[in-house]
């Protein structure tokens, strides 16, 4: 990452074109369908569509489902799809085979691993997280507490927004489980997974990492860092389509003594024996619950082929370079002096997005979208920009910042049509 | 149903053709894509593909996701899809608006309603079901018990396979929740939902009905029969595609005092406020958890339009007529005397399938499939045949039985290639 620690000379269109010309990932853009005249800086909310995704969906419907019907479970290996997809995601996470499975939503998978982890920690009742963690992570803990009782399961939140070290200090032997998202959905701050996991383990604390904003965006080493459990999202950097199935990682050293409560038939050791008593499947299959979502999972399976011939190191390099260029271009624009970057600039401390505070962040975001730059707003005042190396160009950085500067200069964002309303992302 | 209680004259090809010619649902077959030279008697495992499903999938990928990207959540009403689909399913269930939502899998939805119901029944710990219920129903109870503790949650099974009244006798004031599947997945026996619900309520017992084998196959009156909760499957009679999202019904009288534990962000009253404390959404939305599976749910949404211009009474009539014809044809064939029907023949006591016991049921099933008649095997010795009125013809009944008789007569099913192996359905 040190390649990015020097200040680039003033970025010009020519420089950006040169960066594109020498970009080893440049050809990847051709593997996606992208709308015309759009710079898409929201791949951290919903990844763009790989061309193979549409082809695969069509194949699953018109060739498999419609023609082979129920026989497809065997003939087209539908039944293995949760494993097939899991094993395609595993290398992106630094996970050896047999530890990642594709199923359900991130929220539902959180419930499974939270339950497992709590049942492994008798005598400890506290689940520690950050107050700024993505809400569904916190809500799922609260849901589990509603079943287990507050005396057995309490969510403990640390507000480390002003004091980044507060989190580490809160990791004590009183904690049962540390639940963290690797990259903060608002600020883009990247936590040190290796260090925090080691600190937790030193206190007998189990760790669950939510990789929603990091899987497919940066190298992760779940095995090497001794992570216990992880979950993540198929529709952001993995480009699996809206509401794509999620994934779940459980370290193989835990597999034999886990009890996850969503014990559906697909997690049974012999689902087609139709016995009355649940006997969990060996290995990662024990995390399956209902019938797998074949159409959606097939689309994700196809989308993952985009990663087959690239390294996460190259992805990470370009992600940091794109965002570095973007921010340097912002700094070159006097019109943009009112934007306050809240993302740490050091490469080791940020994910694949930049977040700027501005009192008019919502209106700025709407004005950008109107001009074809798809950004994201996060309440109350954050303009969030995601950098997806597989389909963004360096030239896009120049154009996006130029448009943003023009919107600011012209006060275009003050138009009444950009006034605040609820937005869905 | 009384139209079917008389014995038809010996069924001939001509009679069957006449029934097809006067069938008010005959034109529906044209709305499906079906493989050539196939008689599909397994729509109770995986429904056939409506033509609109493939069109919709293509539209969601190539027009919505790829072109409008994140804006699609608003522009194409993705965010409302769980409600939109729920409201299309509701009339098939006899449910007034605001009580049915599409989400997750049947298994996961079972966990939600089981948890809700148990929390509503302090002092009672027993969940009563049939030993022959579909395994995932039983397994989800066992999973809930692993969290709540056996003293707070026990599965009580009644084996009513030899004594159908045993179930009613087991409904006592000791029971917290009665969990039943309306149509038995093996035998096709149809339970009297209205009577069993009333018996349960008289004992202070809450009821959960699994409609996997009945939704879209026969008229259901959840509201009129005062059902508390129901769940069901999108990929059988609703033709939503392999692993389609499931649905969940909760009677509106319960909405204000429910606590379901899979409290993901989409079930929050203000998901985009990103607050740290879960506050459940009003109404049926409280059962949402993670981000909805848009591609899969859109396919189901499209598939449901097939039901828009028909009545469940017509569907039920044809379902009973098809299966009645099938069985009468079986009885006309001396070669098929060794098939032992275990489905009750009375219309009020059976769903939309027939199940025959035969020592060689697996081999018979395989031989049928080889000849283009897609049937299903259920261990240890059941040949299961589903009758889906929207795309089956009366003529298919004649052909299917003729092929079955030929397989039996010729002993074709004894070929080694049809020997037992694990089959996925």
């Amino acid at each position: 990452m040190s390649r990015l620690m020097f200040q680039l000379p003033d970025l010009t269109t020519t420089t950006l074109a040169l960066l594109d010309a020498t970009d080893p990932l440049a050809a990847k853009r051709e593997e996606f369908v992208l709308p015309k005249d759009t710079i898409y800086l929201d791949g951290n909310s919903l990844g763009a569509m790989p061309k193979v995704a549409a082809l695969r969906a069509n194949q699953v419907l018109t060739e498999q489902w419609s023609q082979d019907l129920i026989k497809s479970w065997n003939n087209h290996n539908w039944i293995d799809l949760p494993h097939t997809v899991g094993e395609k995601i595993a290398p992106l996470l630094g996970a050896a085979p047999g530890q990642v499975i594709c199923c359900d939503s991130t929220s539902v998978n959180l419930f499974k691993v939270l339950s497992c982890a709590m049942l492994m920690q008798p005598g400890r009742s506290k689940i520690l997280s950050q107050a700024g963690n993505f809400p569904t992570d916190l809500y799922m803990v609260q849901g589990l507490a509603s079943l287990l009782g507050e005396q057995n399961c309490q969510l403990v939140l640390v507000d480390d927004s002003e004091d980044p070290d507060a989190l580490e200090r809160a990791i004590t032997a009183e904690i049962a489980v540390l639940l963290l998202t690797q990259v903060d959905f608002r600020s883009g701050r990247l936590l040190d997974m290796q260090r925090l996991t080691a600190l937790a383990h030193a206190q007998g604390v189990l760790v669950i990492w939510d990789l929603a904003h990091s899987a497919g965006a940066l190298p992760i080493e779940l095995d090497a860092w001794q992570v216990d459990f992880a979950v993540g999202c198929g529709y952001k950097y993995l480009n699996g389509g809206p509401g794509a199935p999620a994934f779940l990682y459980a370290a193989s050293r835990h597999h034999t003594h886990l009890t996850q409560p969503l014990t559906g038939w697909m997690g049974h050791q012999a689902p087609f024996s139709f016995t009355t008593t649940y006997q969990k499947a060996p290995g990662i299959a024990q995390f399956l619950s209902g019938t797998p979502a074949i159409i959606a999972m097939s689309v994700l399976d196809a989308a993952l082929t985009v990663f087959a011939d690239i390294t996460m190191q190259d992805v990470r390099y370009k992600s940091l370079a794109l965002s570095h260029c973007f921010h340097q271009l912002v700094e070159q624009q006097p019109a943009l002096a009112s934007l306050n970057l809240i993302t740490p600039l050091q490469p080791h401390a940020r994910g694949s997005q930049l977040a700027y505070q501005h009192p008019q962040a919502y209106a700025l975001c709407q004005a950008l979208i109107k001009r074809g730059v798809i950004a994201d707003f996060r309440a109350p005042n954050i303009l969030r920009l995601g950098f997806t190396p597989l389909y963004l160009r360096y030239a896009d950085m120049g154009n996006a910042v130029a448009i943003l500067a023009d919107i600011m200069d012209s006060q275009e964002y003050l138009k009444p049509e950009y006034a605040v309303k609820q937005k869905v992302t």
Side-chain angles (χ1 to χ4, degrees), chain A:
Chain A
M1 304 310 155
S2 59
R3 288 186 283 180
L4 283 167
M5 291 305 289
F6 61 89
Q7 183 72 3
L8 295 168
D10 258 18
L11 285 170
T12 61
T13 309
T14 313
T15 320
L16 294 169
L18 191 65
L19 286 166
D20 278 320
T22 56
D23 170 17
L25 295 178
K28 280 283 150 187
R29 182 176 167 90
E30 281 307 306
E31 298 183 28
F32 289 84
V33 180
L34 293 161
K36 274 192 186 170
D37 303 325
T38 299
I39 300 172
Y40 190 58
L41 302 180
D42 210 5
N44 50 334
S45 261
L46 174 64
M49 189 182 83
K51 290 174 182 169
V52 288
L55 293 173
R56 186 64 162 305
N58 188 53
Q59 184 185 38
V60 170
L61 274 83
T62 63
E63 295 175 26
Q64 299 180 3
W65 174 19
S66 83
Q67 294 304 304
D68 292 339
L69 289 157
I70 194 72
K71 292 185 285 186
S72 302
W73 284 101
N74 291 316
N75 294 359
H76 303 294
N77 289 318
W78 285 357
I79 196 70
D80 295 326
L81 205 50
H83 295 277
T84 307
V85 177
E87 295 305 355
K88 282 189 183 167
I89 296 171
L92 308 181
L93 313 181
Q99 300 176 108
V100 181
I101 197 151
C102 181
C103 51
D104 298 311
S105 67
T106 308
S107 300
V108 168
N109 288 338
L110 274 165
F111 190 85
K112 296 176 196 167
V113 294
L114 282 165
S115 302
C116 279
M118 289 308 285
L119 291 171
M120 288 166 71
Q121 296 282 55
R124 299 195 190 195
S125 59
K126 293 179 176 163
I127 298 175
L128 176 66
S129 194
Q130 295 165 293
N133 197 352
F134 189 74
T136 218
D137 297 59
L138 310 182
Y139 300 162
M140 294 313 290
V141 175
Q142 292 164 30
L144 182 60
S146 74
L147 280 184
L148 295 181
E150 281 292 326
Q151 73 282 14
N152 299 312
C153 180
Q154 307 124 44
L155 177 62
V156 177
L157 292 180
V158 55
D159 182 350
D160 60 347
S161 54
E162 304 292 323
D163 173 10
D165 297 331
L167 178 60
E168 294 193 2
R169 288 197 306 274
I171 302 171
T172 67
E174 285 215 317
I175 303 298
V177 175
L178 177 64
L179 169 64
L180 296 172
T181 298
Q182 190 181 11
V183 175
D184 187 273
F185 81 106
R186 284 191 191 86
S187 70
R189 178 184 168 201
L190 170 67
L191 295 178
D192 186 336
M193 187 187 286
Q194 182 172 21
R195 177 179 166 86
L196 287 160
T197 300
L199 286 173
H201 286 172
Q203 300 291 334
V205 176
L206 291 168
V207 299
I208 298 172
W209 285 96
D210 181 341
L211 310 176
H213 285 272
S214 46
L218 44 89
I220 300 169
E221 296 292 345
L222 295 182
D223 285 351
W225 299 339
Q226 292 279 298
V227 167
D228 299 294
F229 303 100
V231 298
C233 170
Y235 56 80
K236 295 178 185 288
Y237 294 99
L238 301 185
N239 311 305
F247 64 84
L248 184 157
Y249 164 92
S252 56
R253 66 183 175 280
H254 295 314
H255 286 187
T256 54
H257 49 278
L258 294 178
T259 307
Q260 75 89 0
L262 301 184
T263 48
W265 71 311
M266 285 291 160
H268 193 278
Q269 64 180 23
F272 298 97
S273 299
F274 301 109
T275 61
T276 55
T277 303
Y278 183 77
Q279 297 285 340
K280 75 173 190 176
I284 196 68
Q286 67 189 285
F287 286 96
L288 291 177
S289 188
T291 305
I294 297 304
I295 296 175
M297 210 174 283
S298 298
V299 170
L300 174 56
D301 184 52
L304 286 165
T305 61
V306 172
F307 286 91
D309 56 356
I310 58 177
T311 69
M312 287 311 299
Q313 283 69 27
D314 281 348
V315 170
R316 176 62 168 162
Y317 175 78
K318 185 174 172 190
S319 152
L320 289 170
L322 285 169
S323 45
H324 190 95
C325 287
F326 187 95
H327 186 63
Q328 189 173 335
L329 288 159
V330 165
E331 291 198 317
Q332 286 173 208
Q333 288 280 1
L336 299 178
S338 57
L339 290 177
N340 175 36
L341 183 72
I342 60 165
T343 309
L345 254 188
Q346 307 95 303
H348 71 271
R350 64 182 164 97
S352 198
Q353 67 183 70
L354 294 175
Y356 294 93
Q357 282 179 327
H358 191 277
Q360 295 289 335
Y362 181 83
L364 284 171
C365 185
Q366 294 306 301
L368 277 171
I369 291 169
K370 187 80 175 182
R371 296 277 292 271
V373 180
I374 313 300
D376 211 337
F377 168 75
R378 279 291 172 263
N381 62 352
I382 294 174
L383 179 66
R384 194 180 75 162
L385 308 142
F387 299 92
T388 46
L390 301 184
Y391 47 86
L392 285 176
R393 296 166 299 202
Y394 291 91
D396 294 327
M397 305 300 103
N399 292 329
V401 174
I403 290 168
L404 180 58
D406 185 57
I407 287 168
M408 196 74 95
D409 243 354
S410 65
Q411 299 200 320
E412 185 182 323
Y413 65 98
L414 295 177
K415 284 186 188 172
E417 68 190 276
Y418 303 136
V420 174
K421 62 167 183 172
Q422 171 128 350
K423 183 176 167 281
V424 169
T425 51

